[in-house]
Amino acid sequence: MSSHATLTRTVAEWIVHQSSTALPVEMDHHVRRMLLDHLAGVAASSVGEVSAAVGVHVARTYRGSTATAIGHGRTSALGAAVLNGTNGHGIESDEGYTPGSMHPTSVVFPAVFAVAQERGISGDRVLRAAAIGMELACRLADAGHPATRNRHFHNTPVAGVFGAAAAVSVLLGLDEDGVANALGLAGSHAGGVFEFLGGSAEVKRFHPGKAARDGITSADLAEAGLTGPTTILEGRDGYFAAFAGEEGTDWFADTVTRRLGEEWVLLRTYVKPYPCCRHLHGAIDAMLALRDEFDLDPESITSIEVGTFAIATRHAGRVLDTVLQGQLSLPFTVAVAALTGSVTLTDFSETARQDPRALALMDKVVVRLDEAADASYPKTGRPADVTVVTSDGARYQHRVEQPYGEPTNPMSDTDLEVKAYGLLEPVIGLAGAKTLVEACWNFDTLDFLDELDAAVRSAKPV
């Protein structure tokens, strides 16, 4: 038996204790930041094709009216979790936690909101449940990363389902045994593989929705009396054994429990300034810095070399048939940054992906492994080094250790609002965006979700 045989129980005990403890002021504010970032992305994504496809499935399968699926009206709690979770990850705008390479909001908030609406729960308890679930998801993802990713698993759903189960357990008021069983049940729902990268399959967007739904199911079944393995995290055939490998080599129990209840690792989540894979952001920042500092003319660029960590080098695709392929392409996004001086959602439209100038510049981008960057990721940074050569033979180089939005290179509340308005205004207008921004900062009820849903639906083309 492992010396950490009580890991699942330790986590369950913390969840129950934390559920009756007020969030520190700094943490309360941070969760509201995450809420604003999340809902802006959900609203912007809810008018897209993936959202429409999942909406058809939800309408067929999850009938009810107890929870709000933004942009789709009322449905069941499970249906709302599926749709809002999918849309939370739908345009690659969602925040994340670098040490675990995962996006906690797109899994946990949809699960929490759906159950809170269904059960009539509001106020601090909702934010507290969300914070607890996201904290656990980040710690679990970190404890097994990058071994989990190297085994081809997508950390957001595989670790996120535990966070969703934990958060919903808080809302349901489960005791330690109940929480341990909910986590045990969540282990059987963990899943999501990276094969979507090969053809940029849109199932990637669905992963958080699936995990949010399954987290609700796990907690609900535990409340109903179904048991799960209460050694799910540390067991010989448990989560870490299956998804990571050997303890002390591939995963680390201490990462889960270190200063648990004293320190919130959730405070170290990042905010994305660009709607694309976070692994690309360091190179984008470096390219933008070079463009601004040296007033580079894109027409004069003869080559762009990007050195970065190994996982980022896997995102060197040059096929741009879909939005997702563009959002996962380091050569394309760096070319766009060099060409336009920004990377925005419109840069991934079909027209933008076919822009001859962007395609010509993309062909000049070379991606290579940077050993120092690889040694830094994921524990201390997401480095990228960009070197630009121009037609006159001049060379310009810039290195970014941490992309903008990381806790050591943070995005201010003001810039976060600017990002949110940029996502919201095209969908619900300035007045609607202002209402949502204020509702997030002053959160005490979920009543605004129906208002947001109505605003999105009224803006959708008939």
Side-chain angles (χ1 to χ4, degrees):
M1 182 74 69
S2 166
S3 60
H4 297 287
T6 60
L7 179 59
T8 307
R9 285 288 183 178
T10 298
V11 168
E13 181 181 2
W14 166 74
I15 291 169
V16 172
H17 172 74
Q18 195 67 58
S19 68
S20 60
T21 305
L23 294 176
V25 173
E26 184 183 17
M27 191 68 240
D28 180 87
H29 179 75
H30 190 72
V31 176
R32 292 169 196 266
R33 277 175 55 94
M34 299 178 83
L35 176 63
L36 173 58
D37 195 50
H38 168 68
L39 288 176
V42 171
S45 182
S46 66
V47 297
E49 294 180 1
V50 172
S51 180
V54 177
V56 170
H57 166 70
V58 167
R60 290 172 179 165
T61 313
Y62 299 98
R63 303 191 179 184
S65 59
T66 57
T68 306
I70 294 167
H72 296 267
R74 283 266 173 161
T75 183
S76 68
L78 294 180
V82 166
L83 265 167
N84 292 334
T86 298
N87 288 328
H89 200 49
I91 56 172
E92 296 294 319
S93 70
D94 44 338
E95 53 42 75
Y97 183 61
T98 292
S101 189
M102 73 95 59
H103 305 277
T105 58
S106 54
V107 179
V108 176
F109 273 133
V112 167
F113 286 174
V115 173
Q117 281 190 295
E118 183 178 61
R119 303 264 180 151
I121 301 169
S122 62
D124 291 343
R125 189 173 166 195
V126 175
L127 288 185
R128 194 179 308 160
I132 290 168
M134 291 189 290
E135 176 77 7
L136 178 62
C138 288
R139 284 175 176 264
L140 293 180
D142 184 6
H145 185 65
T148 47
R149 172 60 183 90
N150 291 337
R151 287 190 174 206
H152 316 290
F153 294 112
H154 188 193
N155 284 339
T156 294
V158 298
V161 69
F162 291 100
V168 175
S169 294
V170 171
L171 294 180
L172 301 184
L174 300 187
D175 61 15
E176 185 180 320
D177 284 342
V179 173
N181 278 297
L183 296 175
L185 292 162
S188 286
H189 286 100
V193 295
F194 263 99
E195 184 60 17
F196 60 75
L197 283 178
S200 288
E202 298 287 10
V203 69
K204 176 184 192 289
R205 321 291 197 185
F206 181 73
H207 280 178
K210 170 194 177 299
R213 176 199 66 193
D214 293 347
I216 294 174
T217 298
S218 298
D220 191 65
L221 285 170
E223 184 187 43
L226 187 66
T227 59
T230 58
T231 53
I232 186 60
L233 297 177
E234 72 278 2
R236 183 180 63 184
D237 296 308
Y239 167 73
F240 281 116
F243 288 85
E246 294 294 324
E247 182 185 354
T249 302
D250 302 307
W251 71 275
F252 303 88
D254 183 56
T255 302
V256 181
T257 59
R258 186 187 308 119
R259 295 181 58 78
L260 186 63
E262 303 172 33
E263 175 187 10
W264 290 87
V265 303
L266 194 61
L267 289 169
R268 299 198 289 272
T269 53
Y270 62 76
V271 177
K272 281 186 177 182
Y274 322 115
C276 58
C277 176
R278 186 59 169 171
H279 295 318
L280 318 183
H281 284 216
I284 293 171
D285 281 347
M287 186 66 250
L288 292 175
L290 289 172
R291 189 182 192 276
D292 292 345
E293 182 178 355
F294 300 105
D295 194 25
L296 294 178
D297 177 5
E299 297 295 327
S300 72
I301 295 175
T302 58
S303 70
I304 302 174
E305 182 178 279
V306 178
T308 188
F309 50 98
I311 288 177
T313 64
R314 300 178 191 174
H315 294 277
R318 298 172 189 272
V319 177
L320 304 173
D321 294 338
T322 67
V323 172
L324 184 57
Q325 285 174 322
Q327 291 174 316
L328 297 177
S329 171
L330 206 162
F332 177 69
T333 52
V334 169
V336 168
L339 185 67
T340 69
S342 65
V343 177
T344 67
L345 198 55
T346 57
D347 291 314
F348 300 101
S349 68
E350 184 174 0
T351 300
R353 297 195 315 273
Q354 295 175 352
D355 184 340
R357 298 173 304 160
L359 296 178
L361 199 51
M362 180 180 72
D363 287 342
K364 299 174 182 178
V365 178
V366 175
V367 180
R368 64 170 178 80
L369 177 66
D370 182 304
E371 297 289 352
D374 199 43
S376 178
Y377 178 82
K379 302 307 180 185
T380 59
R382 287 179 182 262
D385 192 285
V386 173
T387 300
V388 175
V389 179
T390 54
S391 54
D392 60 2
R395 295 174 63 88
Y396 305 92
Q397 183 267 342
H398 188 87
R399 188 177 186 85
V400 169
E401 294 297 332
Q402 288 283 20
Y404 182 48
E406 291 288 333
T408 55
N409 186 14
M411 182 181 289
S412 67
D413 287 354
T414 299
D415 282 355
L416 176 60
E417 286 191 11
V418 170
K419 174 189 173 180
Y421 276 106
L423 292 174
L424 291 166
E425 281 191 60
V427 181
I428 60 175
L430 178 59
K434 187 173 186 293
T435 297
L436 178 61
V437 169
E438 291 176 351
C440 290
W441 289 131
N442 302 312
F443 177 84
D444 61 2
T445 174
L446 291 169
D447 292 347
F448 71 91
L449 290 181
D450 286 321
E451 297 175 16
L452 176 59
D453 166 57
V456 171
R457 285 190 289 139
S458 67
K460 279 184 177 180
V462 177

